[in-house]
Amino acid sequence: MTFLFDIGNVLLKLHFENYRAKVLGDANTPLPDKLGILKDPYETGQISDDEFVTKSLQILKSNLSPQDYTEAWQDIFSPNDPMWEVVEKLQTDGHRLILFSNTNALHSTFFLEKYEVFQHFQHHHFSQEVGAIKPHDDFYQKAVDTYDLIPAETAYLDDLPENIATGKAFGFLSWQYDFNDHASCLDWLKSLGI
């Protein structure tokens, strides 16, 4: 079977409070709305890493250096150990594993190098590289075409309901993951015969 794994809040827990603390001086301060406008263009490869960092610093009116900003942007991850155990077992049992994520190069180069779990994945399908973003159909269709996916034989795990909805529309065996209820995910995998 093929497994498509989202990364944020599935394989890695996200801690944007770390980023806010470093760039705003307070983990609870909301980010400016203008910063959100950069997200989709950056995660679909329409703007470069340097352009993203420069524009972010301008929006934030920050005195951080580009290097310090980049380190703050990357320091948002921690392992979700229970899911890593699942990945290791799936890989040992011979399943095909594909990373299936909206992400950007500053994040992906960082976490692919830092966390050993990613060595278990044969492929990655990242929004910045394919020029499409979840939950839009073209992100999923490009994966189907690239990896010759058979939806009825493809399991998909993601934490966001809108992404899961598109996965179901494509016929994937889809599970909305909640790291606070990992046991339910294990039950779902058992129902698939895993």
Side-chain angles (χ1 to χ4, degrees):
M1 182 175 282
T2 298
F3 283 81
L4 307 176
F5 275 87
D6 180 39
I7 295 172
N9 288 328
V10 178
L11 293 167
L12 298 174
K13 296 179 183 178
L14 300 179
H15 305 280
F16 278 102
E17 66 275 11
N18 295 351
Y19 165 75
R20 290 195 301 271
K22 288 182 179 178
V23 301
L24 300 174
D26 181 352
N28 298 310
T29 300
L31 294 166
D33 290 340
K34 282 187 177 180
L35 203 59
I37 295 169
L38 296 178
K39 179 184 179 294
D40 285 3
Y42 183 41
E43 291 196 340
T44 53
Q46 296 173 50
I47 61 175
S48 69
D49 296 342
D50 288 343
E51 191 176 358
F52 170 74
V53 171
T54 299
K55 286 186 174 183
S56 296
L57 289 169
Q58 289 170 350
I59 290 168
L60 293 164
K61 298 178 174 59
S62 175
N63 293 321
L64 287 175
S65 70
Q67 180 62 35
D68 287 342
Y69 182 83
T70 297
E71 290 174 3
W73 178 247
Q74 293 173 326
D75 184 29
I76 63 164
F77 304 108
S78 69
N80 182 18
D81 293 326
M83 188 56 82
W84 287 22
E85 292 174 13
V86 169
V87 166
E88 289 169 3
K89 182 180 187 312
L90 291 173
Q91 194 267 337
T92 299
D93 291 347
H95 297 284
R96 181 168 66 154
L97 307 180
I98 301 173
L99 296 169
F100 196 74
S101 185
N102 291 342
T103 192
N104 56 77
L106 290 178
H107 280 164
S108 63
T109 54
F110 175 78
F111 61 64
L112 288 174
E113 182 176 320
K114 177 165 180 156
Y115 298 106
E116 291 181 6
V117 70
F118 295 111
Q119 70 187 354
H120 299 300
F121 289 82
Q122 290 83 35
H123 306 285
H124 63 259
H125 191 74
F126 290 161
S127 60
Q128 191 177 53
E129 296 175 357
V130 302
I133 199 164
K134 294 183 287 185
H136 300 297
D137 287 359
D138 50 350
F139 182 90
Y140 297 75
Q141 188 62 55
K142 286 181 179 188
V144 170
D145 296 342
T146 300
Y147 304 108
D148 296 321
L149 300 179
I150 300 169
E153 298 174 9
T154 302
Y156 169 41
L157 297 93
D158 200 301
D159 65 312
L160 296 179
E162 61 270 28
N163 296 345
I164 288 295
T166 305
K168 287 181 177 178
F170 270 81
F172 297 152
L173 306 169
S174 302
W175 181 258
Q176 185 180 342
Y177 182 73
D178 178 356
F179 62 73
N180 293 309
D181 187 15
H182 184 74
S184 291
C185 180
L186 296 180
D187 290 341
W188 173 71
L189 290 168
K190 285 179 186 174
S191 77
L192 300 179
I194 303 300

